[in-house]
mmCIF file of all heavy atoms in Angstrom:
data_model
loop_
_atom_site.group_PDB
_atom_site.id
_atom_site.type_symbol
_atom_site.label_atom_id
_atom_site.label_comp_id
_atom_site.label_asym_id
_atom_site.label_seq_id
_atom_site.Cartn_x
_atom_site.Cartn_y
_atom_site.Cartn_z
ATOM 1 N N ASN A 21 -32.802 -27.529 -2.542
ATOM 2 C CA ASN A 21 -32.939 -27.887 -3.955
ATOM 3 C C ASN A 21 -33.436 -26.745 -4.837
ATOM 4 O O ASN A 21 -32.968 -26.456 -5.897
ATOM 5 C CB ASN A 21 -33.818 -29.130 -4.150
ATOM 6 C CG ASN A 21 -33.188 -30.402 -3.628
ATOM 7 O OD1 ASN A 21 -31.943 -30.444 -3.438
ATOM 8 N ND2 ASN A 21 -33.965 -31.402 -3.456
ATOM 9 N N TYR A 22 -34.448 -26.048 -4.258
ATOM 10 C CA TYR A 22 -35.034 -24.884 -4.923
ATOM 11 C C TYR A 22 -33.921 -23.789 -5.216
ATOM 12 O O TYR A 22 -33.839 -23.267 -6.330
ATOM 13 C CB TYR A 22 -36.183 -24.309 -4.101
ATOM 14 C CG TYR A 22 -36.548 -22.868 -4.437
ATOM 15 C CD1 TYR A 22 -37.077 -22.562 -5.646
ATOM 16 C CD2 TYR A 22 -36.376 -21.884 -3.513
ATOM 17 C CE1 TYR A 22 -37.416 -21.277 -5.988
ATOM 18 C CE2 TYR A 22 -36.681 -20.569 -3.798
ATOM 19 C CZ TYR A 22 -37.197 -20.255 -5.006
ATOM 20 O OH TYR A 22 -37.559 -18.970 -5.347
ATOM 21 N N ILE A 23 -33.201 -23.493 -4.174
ATOM 22 C CA ILE A 23 -32.144 -22.443 -4.318
ATOM 23 C C ILE A 23 -31.102 -22.912 -5.300
ATOM 24 O O ILE A 23 -30.677 -22.109 -6.168
ATOM 25 C CB ILE A 23 -31.559 -22.136 -2.956
ATOM 26 C CG1 ILE A 23 -32.597 -21.588 -1.951
ATOM 27 C CG2 ILE A 23 -30.448 -21.076 -3.078
ATOM 28 C CD1 ILE A 23 -32.128 -21.529 -0.562
ATOM 29 N N MET A 24 -30.707 -24.150 -5.236
ATOM 30 C CA MET A 24 -29.683 -24.656 -6.128
ATOM 31 C C MET A 24 -30.182 -24.706 -7.610
ATOM 32 O O MET A 24 -29.409 -24.395 -8.493
ATOM 33 C CB MET A 24 -29.185 -26.006 -5.658
ATOM 34 C CG MET A 24 -28.359 -26.007 -4.429
ATOM 35 S SD MET A 24 -26.922 -24.952 -4.427
ATOM 36 C CE MET A 24 -25.955 -25.737 -5.737
ATOM 37 N N ASN A 25 -31.427 -25.044 -7.801
ATOM 38 C CA ASN A 25 -31.983 -25.052 -9.146
ATOM 39 C C ASN A 25 -31.856 -23.648 -9.803
ATOM 40 O O ASN A 25 -31.457 -23.493 -10.943
ATOM 41 C CB ASN A 25 -33.483 -25.424 -9.120
ATOM 42 C CG ASN A 25 -33.710 -26.910 -8.939
ATOM 43 O OD1 ASN A 25 -32.850 -27.718 -9.264
ATOM 44 N ND2 ASN A 25 -34.814 -27.269 -8.408
ATOM 45 N N LEU A 26 -32.163 -22.594 -8.988
ATOM 46 C CA LEU A 26 -32.018 -21.222 -9.495
ATOM 47 C C LEU A 26 -30.552 -20.835 -9.687
ATOM 48 O O LEU A 26 -30.213 -20.215 -10.646
ATOM 49 C CB LEU A 26 -32.741 -20.254 -8.590
ATOM 50 C CG LEU A 26 -34.252 -20.407 -8.450
ATOM 51 C CD1 LEU A 26 -34.795 -19.334 -7.531
ATOM 52 C CD2 LEU A 26 -34.931 -20.371 -9.790
ATOM 53 N N TYR A 27 -29.758 -21.223 -8.700
ATOM 54 C CA TYR A 27 -28.366 -20.838 -8.713
ATOM 55 C C TYR A 27 -27.626 -21.369 -9.916
ATOM 56 O O TYR A 27 -26.855 -20.727 -10.591
ATOM 57 C CB TYR A 27 -27.721 -21.335 -7.417
ATOM 58 C CG TYR A 27 -26.281 -20.873 -7.216
ATOM 59 C CD1 TYR A 27 -25.855 -19.603 -7.604
ATOM 60 C CD2 TYR A 27 -25.366 -21.726 -6.598
ATOM 61 C CE1 TYR A 27 -24.532 -19.205 -7.437
ATOM 62 C CE2 TYR A 27 -24.043 -21.302 -6.343
ATOM 63 C CZ TYR A 27 -23.664 -20.047 -6.771
ATOM 64 O OH TYR A 27 -22.334 -19.645 -6.610
ATOM 65 N N ARG A 28 -27.911 -22.605 -10.292
ATOM 66 C CA ARG A 28 -27.235 -23.237 -11.417
ATOM 67 C C ARG A 28 -27.617 -22.492 -12.756
ATOM 68 O O ARG A 28 -26.804 -22.419 -13.653
ATOM 69 C CB ARG A 28 -27.652 -24.688 -11.567
ATOM 70 C CG ARG A 28 -27.146 -25.574 -10.410
ATOM 71 C CD ARG A 28 -27.615 -27.012 -10.586
ATOM 72 N NE ARG A 28 -27.229 -27.851 -9.443
ATOM 73 C CZ ARG A 28 -28.090 -28.417 -8.633
ATOM 74 N NH1 ARG A 28 -29.379 -28.283 -8.844
ATOM 75 N NH2 ARG A 28 -27.645 -29.116 -7.649
ATOM 76 N N MET A 29 -28.815 -21.909 -12.794
ATOM 77 C CA MET A 29 -29.296 -21.334 -14.008
ATOM 78 C C MET A 29 -29.084 -19.823 -14.152
ATOM 79 O O MET A 29 -29.158 -19.297 -15.261
ATOM 80 C CB MET A 29 -30.778 -21.666 -14.184
ATOM 81 C CG MET A 29 -31.095 -23.175 -14.171
ATOM 82 S SD MET A 29 -32.883 -23.540 -14.311
ATOM 83 C CE MET A 29 -33.055 -23.393 -16.063
ATOM 84 N N VAL A 30 -28.853 -19.134 -13.035
ATOM 85 C CA VAL A 30 -28.720 -17.724 -13.056
ATOM 86 C C VAL A 30 -27.434 -17.276 -13.823
ATOM 87 O O VAL A 30 -26.438 -18.053 -13.785
ATOM 88 C CB VAL A 30 -28.770 -17.084 -11.642
ATOM 89 C CG1 VAL A 30 -27.479 -17.427 -10.867
ATOM 90 C CG2 VAL A 30 -29.087 -15.643 -11.676
ATOM 91 N N ASP A 31 -27.475 -16.196 -14.453
ATOM 92 C CA ASP A 31 -26.257 -15.584 -15.125
ATOM 93 C C ASP A 31 -25.312 -15.026 -14.056
ATOM 94 O O ASP A 31 -25.596 -13.998 -13.521
ATOM 95 C CB ASP A 31 -26.692 -14.501 -16.103
ATOM 96 C CG ASP A 31 -25.511 -13.930 -16.874
ATOM 97 O OD1 ASP A 31 -24.343 -14.182 -16.473
ATOM 98 O OD2 ASP A 31 -25.781 -13.198 -17.867
ATOM 99 N N LYS A 32 -24.279 -15.799 -13.782
ATOM 100 C CA LYS A 32 -23.420 -15.455 -12.646
ATOM 101 C C LYS A 32 -22.521 -14.246 -12.926
ATOM 102 O O LYS A 32 -21.796 -13.764 -12.003
ATOM 103 C CB LYS A 32 -22.603 -16.658 -12.156
ATOM 104 C CG LYS A 32 -23.578 -17.708 -11.646
ATOM 105 C CD LYS A 32 -22.873 -19.039 -11.461
ATOM 106 C CE LYS A 32 -23.967 -20.157 -11.232
ATOM 107 N NZ LYS A 32 -24.889 -20.298 -12.361
ATOM 108 N N SER A 33 -22.518 -13.801 -14.201
ATOM 109 C CA SER A 33 -21.781 -12.547 -14.454
ATOM 110 C C SER A 33 -22.605 -11.330 -13.967
ATOM 111 O O SER A 33 -22.061 -10.285 -13.827
ATOM 112 C CB SER A 33 -21.483 -12.410 -15.936
ATOM 113 O OG SER A 33 -22.717 -12.181 -16.671
ATOM 114 N N LYS A 34 -23.921 -11.583 -13.740
ATOM 115 C CA LYS A 34 -24.775 -10.481 -13.233
ATOM 116 C C LYS A 34 -25.218 -10.659 -11.796
ATOM 117 O O LYS A 34 -25.316 -9.677 -11.084
ATOM 118 C CB LYS A 34 -26.053 -10.448 -14.124
ATOM 119 C CG LYS A 34 -25.714 -10.124 -15.596
ATOM 120 C CD LYS A 34 -27.010 -10.062 -16.425
ATOM 121 C CE LYS A 34 -26.694 -9.739 -17.869
ATOM 122 N NZ LYS A 34 -27.894 -9.733 -18.691
ATOM 123 N N VAL A 35 -25.432 -11.940 -11.382
ATOM 124 C CA VAL A 35 -25.930 -12.200 -10.022
ATOM 125 C C VAL A 35 -25.142 -13.395 -9.445
ATOM 126 O O VAL A 35 -25.088 -14.435 -10.127
ATOM 127 C CB VAL A 35 -27.425 -12.518 -10.017
ATOM 128 C CG1 VAL A 35 -27.861 -12.844 -8.564
ATOM 129 C CG2 VAL A 35 -28.261 -11.315 -10.530
ATOM 130 N N GLN A 36 -24.616 -13.232 -8.296
ATOM 131 C CA GLN A 36 -23.922 -14.358 -7.655
ATOM 132 C C GLN A 36 -24.522 -14.607 -6.271
ATOM 133 O O GLN A 36 -24.933 -13.700 -5.551
ATOM 134 C CB GLN A 36 -22.425 -13.993 -7.478
ATOM 135 C CG GLN A 36 -21.601 -15.034 -6.755
ATOM 136 C CD GLN A 36 -21.556 -16.401 -7.431
ATOM 137 O OE1 GLN A 36 -22.199 -17.352 -6.984
ATOM 138 N NE2 GLN A 36 -20.796 -16.489 -8.525
ATOM 139 N N PHE A 37 -24.705 -15.884 -5.912
ATOM 140 C CA PHE A 37 -25.250 -16.219 -4.593
ATOM 141 C C PHE A 37 -24.124 -16.578 -3.665
ATOM 142 O O PHE A 37 -23.151 -17.321 -3.980
ATOM 143 C CB PHE A 37 -26.160 -17.492 -4.681
ATOM 144 C CG PHE A 37 -27.509 -17.246 -5.348
ATOM 145 C CD1 PHE A 37 -28.380 -18.299 -5.502
ATOM 146 C CD2 PHE A 37 -27.851 -16.057 -5.816
ATOM 147 C CE1 PHE A 37 -29.608 -18.114 -6.104
ATOM 148 C CE2 PHE A 37 -29.107 -15.814 -6.433
ATOM 149 C CZ PHE A 37 -29.981 -16.914 -6.584
ATOM 150 N N ASP A 38 -24.147 -16.031 -2.423
ATOM 151 C CA ASP A 38 -23.336 -16.514 -1.325
ATOM 152 C C ASP A 38 -24.285 -17.060 -0.225
ATOM 153 O O ASP A 38 -25.439 -16.741 -0.246
ATOM 154 C CB ASP A 38 -22.490 -15.332 -0.786
ATOM 155 C CG ASP A 38 -21.458 -14.839 -1.845
ATOM 156 O OD1 ASP A 38 -21.062 -15.675 -2.719
ATOM 157 O OD2 ASP A 38 -21.103 -13.634 -1.767
ATOM 158 N N PHE A 39 -23.723 -17.799 0.693
ATOM 159 C CA PHE A 39 -24.618 -18.540 1.591
ATOM 160 C C PHE A 39 -24.125 -18.399 3.039
ATOM 161 O O PHE A 39 -22.994 -18.494 3.391
ATOM 162 C CB PHE A 39 -24.608 -19.994 1.259
ATOM 163 C CG PHE A 39 -25.237 -20.330 -0.085
ATOM 164 C CD1 PHE A 39 -24.531 -20.142 -1.270
ATOM 165 C CD2 PHE A 39 -26.572 -20.765 -0.178
ATOM 166 C CE1 PHE A 39 -25.143 -20.426 -2.495
ATOM 167 C CE2 PHE A 39 -27.135 -21.014 -1.409
ATOM 168 C CZ PHE A 39 -26.448 -20.821 -2.526
ATOM 169 N N VAL A 40 -25.111 -18.181 3.936
ATOM 170 C CA VAL A 40 -24.963 -18.295 5.367
ATOM 171 C C VAL A 40 -25.630 -19.569 5.793
ATOM 172 O O VAL A 40 -26.851 -19.776 5.504
ATOM 173 C CB VAL A 40 -25.542 -17.090 6.157
ATOM 174 C CG1 VAL A 40 -25.705 -17.434 7.585
ATOM 175 C CG2 VAL A 40 -24.661 -15.839 5.961
ATOM 176 N N VAL A 41 -24.912 -20.498 6.461
ATOM 177 C CA VAL A 41 -25.492 -21.758 6.952
ATOM 178 C C VAL A 41 -25.334 -21.740 8.508
ATOM 179 O O VAL A 41 -24.554 -21.002 9.032
ATOM 180 C CB VAL A 41 -24.864 -22.989 6.310
ATOM 181 C CG1 VAL A 41 -25.066 -22.961 4.841
ATOM 182 C CG2 VAL A 41 -23.340 -23.042 6.633
ATOM 183 N N HIS A 42 -26.111 -22.590 9.135
ATOM 184 C CA HIS A 42 -26.229 -22.517 10.578
ATOM 185 C C HIS A 42 -25.790 -23.833 11.295
ATOM 186 O O HIS A 42 -26.170 -24.066 12.455
ATOM 187 C CB HIS A 42 -27.621 -22.129 10.991
ATOM 188 C CG HIS A 42 -27.918 -20.683 10.716
ATOM 189 N ND1 HIS A 42 -28.233 -20.235 9.449
ATOM 190 C CD2 HIS A 42 -27.879 -19.610 11.527
ATOM 191 C CE1 HIS A 42 -28.387 -18.920 9.484
ATOM 192 N NE2 HIS A 42 -28.197 -18.508 10.748
ATOM 193 N N HIS A 43 -24.962 -24.588 10.634
ATOM 194 C CA HIS A 43 -24.330 -25.807 11.246
ATOM 195 C C HIS A 43 -22.847 -25.775 10.850
ATOM 196 O O HIS A 43 -22.458 -25.218 9.814
ATOM 197 C CB HIS A 43 -24.961 -27.106 10.701
ATOM 198 C CG HIS A 43 -26.348 -27.394 11.225
ATOM 199 N ND1 HIS A 43 -26.576 -27.826 12.507
ATOM 200 C CD2 HIS A 43 -27.538 -27.281 10.629
ATOM 201 C CE1 HIS A 43 -27.887 -27.967 12.666
ATOM 202 N NE2 HIS A 43 -28.516 -27.666 11.570
ATOM 203 N N ALA A 44 -22.043 -26.344 11.711
ATOM 204 C CA ALA A 44 -20.626 -26.435 11.450
ATOM 205 C C ALA A 44 -20.300 -27.442 10.305
ATOM 206 O O ALA A 44 -19.308 -27.254 9.558
ATOM 207 C CB ALA A 44 -19.854 -26.776 12.681
ATOM 208 N N ALA A 45 -21.131 -28.441 10.222
ATOM 209 C CA ALA A 45 -20.853 -29.541 9.259
ATOM 210 C C ALA A 45 -20.953 -29.048 7.800
ATOM 211 O O ALA A 45 -21.786 -28.199 7.477
ATOM 212 C CB ALA A 45 -21.822 -30.693 9.493
ATOM 213 N N VAL A 46 -20.115 -29.583 6.957
ATOM 214 C CA VAL A 46 -20.116 -29.248 5.539
ATOM 215 C C VAL A 46 -21.248 -29.959 4.845
ATOM 216 O O VAL A 46 -21.451 -31.168 5.058
ATOM 217 C CB VAL A 46 -18.765 -29.624 4.888
ATOM 218 C CG1 VAL A 46 -18.844 -29.375 3.388
ATOM 219 C CG2 VAL A 46 -17.671 -28.773 5.489
ATOM 220 N N GLY A 47 -22.023 -29.249 4.071
ATOM 221 C CA GLY A 47 -23.201 -29.821 3.409
ATOM 222 C C GLY A 47 -22.886 -30.373 2.020
ATOM 223 O O GLY A 47 -21.849 -30.109 1.438
ATOM 224 N N LEU A 48 -23.904 -31.138 1.490
ATOM 225 C CA LEU A 48 -23.725 -31.811 0.221
ATOM 226 C C LEU A 48 -23.354 -30.869 -0.916
ATOM 227 O O LEU A 48 -22.581 -31.196 -1.822
ATOM 228 C CB LEU A 48 -25.046 -32.576 -0.083
ATOM 229 C CG LEU A 48 -25.162 -33.291 -1.429
ATOM 230 C CD1 LEU A 48 -24.222 -34.489 -1.459
ATOM 231 C CD2 LEU A 48 -26.613 -33.695 -1.700
ATOM 232 N N TYR A 49 -23.983 -29.667 -0.931
ATOM 233 C CA TYR A 49 -23.820 -28.773 -2.103
ATOM 234 C C TYR A 49 -22.632 -27.801 -1.980
ATOM 235 O O TYR A 49 -22.403 -27.003 -2.891
ATOM 236 C CB TYR A 49 -25.110 -27.975 -2.241
ATOM 237 C CG TYR A 49 -26.307 -28.760 -2.705
ATOM 238 C CD1 TYR A 49 -27.523 -28.619 -1.972
ATOM 239 C CD2 TYR A 49 -26.275 -29.558 -3.820
ATOM 240 C CE1 TYR A 49 -28.650 -29.338 -2.381
ATOM 241 C CE2 TYR A 49 -27.383 -30.243 -4.207
ATOM 242 C CZ TYR A 49 -28.567 -30.160 -3.491
ATOM 243 O OH TYR A 49 -29.670 -30.878 -3.846
ATOM 244 N N GLU A 50 -21.852 -27.926 -0.958
ATOM 245 C CA GLU A 50 -20.877 -26.840 -0.723
ATOM 246 C C GLU A 50 -19.730 -26.858 -1.746
ATOM 247 O O GLU A 50 -19.298 -25.792 -2.195
ATOM 248 C CB GLU A 50 -20.318 -26.940 0.699
ATOM 249 C CG GLU A 50 -21.408 -26.641 1.754
ATOM 250 C CD GLU A 50 -20.849 -26.204 3.090
ATOM 251 O OE1 GLU A 50 -19.722 -25.707 3.143
ATOM 252 O OE2 GLU A 50 -21.557 -26.353 4.080
ATOM 253 N N ASP A 51 -19.274 -28.025 -2.175
ATOM 254 C CA ASP A 51 -18.275 -28.052 -3.197
ATOM 255 C C ASP A 51 -18.745 -27.457 -4.534
ATOM 256 O O ASP A 51 -18.033 -26.644 -5.149
ATOM 257 C CB ASP A 51 -17.770 -29.498 -3.459
ATOM 258 C CG ASP A 51 -16.915 -30.056 -2.317
ATOM 259 O OD1 ASP A 51 -16.462 -29.252 -1.469
ATOM 260 O OD2 ASP A 51 -16.759 -31.279 -2.242
#
Side-chain angles (χ1 to χ4, degrees):
N21 288 344
Y22 160 65
I23 299 168
M24 291 303 296
N25 283 335
L26 296 183
Y27 186 36
R28 293 180 186 115
M29 302 179 83
V30 74
D31 182 347
K32 294 166 196 62
S33 68
K34 297 180 180 178
V35 178
Q36 178 60 256
F37 288 180
D38 295 331
F39 293 82
V40 164
V41 299
H42 287 79
H43 288 285
V46 174
L48 176 70
Y49 291 129
E50 296 202 22
D51 287 344

